[in-house]
Amino acid sequence: MLHSMSTTVEAASERSAAEVNEEIRALWRRSGGTLTTEQREEYQRLVMEWAMAAPDSDQAA
């Protein structure tokens, strides 16, 4: 399920990295591979949210 697009970064505990990644993929599909200025801002916000939600690989060992 995709969440509606918001203008704020949600806390990492609210959505998993997989959920955010799916929204990133959907954004690229909708854009046809070329992001508008507004879409680029949304992409940057989503990448930051994804980074906050992604597990830290250094702690996996």
Side-chain angles (χ1 to χ4, degrees), residues 2 5 22-43 46:
L2 295 178
M5 293 198 184
E22 180 55 35
E23 190 169 336
I24 291 169
R25 290 174 184 264
L27 174 63
W28 278 106
R29 283 191 299 269
R30 285 191 312 272
S31 75
T34 304
L35 299 176
T36 65
T37 300
E38 183 177 298
Q39 289 169 323
R40 188 176 312 265
E41 290 171 1
E42 178 67 9
Y43 174 75
L46 288 168

Side-chain angles (χ1 to χ4, degrees), residues 1-60:
M1 172 186 357
L2 295 178
H3 290 62
S4 63
M5 293 198 184
S6 65
T7 57
T8 60
V9 175
E10 296 182 31
S13 63
E14 291 186 29
R15 296 201 298 174
S16 70
E19 290 174 306
V20 179
N21 188 43
E22 180 55 35
E23 190 169 336
I24 291 169
R25 290 174 184 264
L27 174 63
W28 278 106
R29 283 191 299 269
R30 285 191 312 272
S31 75
T34 304
L35 299 176
T36 65
T37 300
E38 183 177 298
Q39 289 169 323
R40 188 176 312 265
E41 290 171 1
E42 178 67 9
Y43 174 75
Q44 290 172 346
R45 185 196 63 78
L46 288 168
V47 169
M48 292 298 294
E49 183 181 347
W50 175 85
M52 289 177 17
D56 188 345
S57 61
D58 292 339
Q59 295 178 354

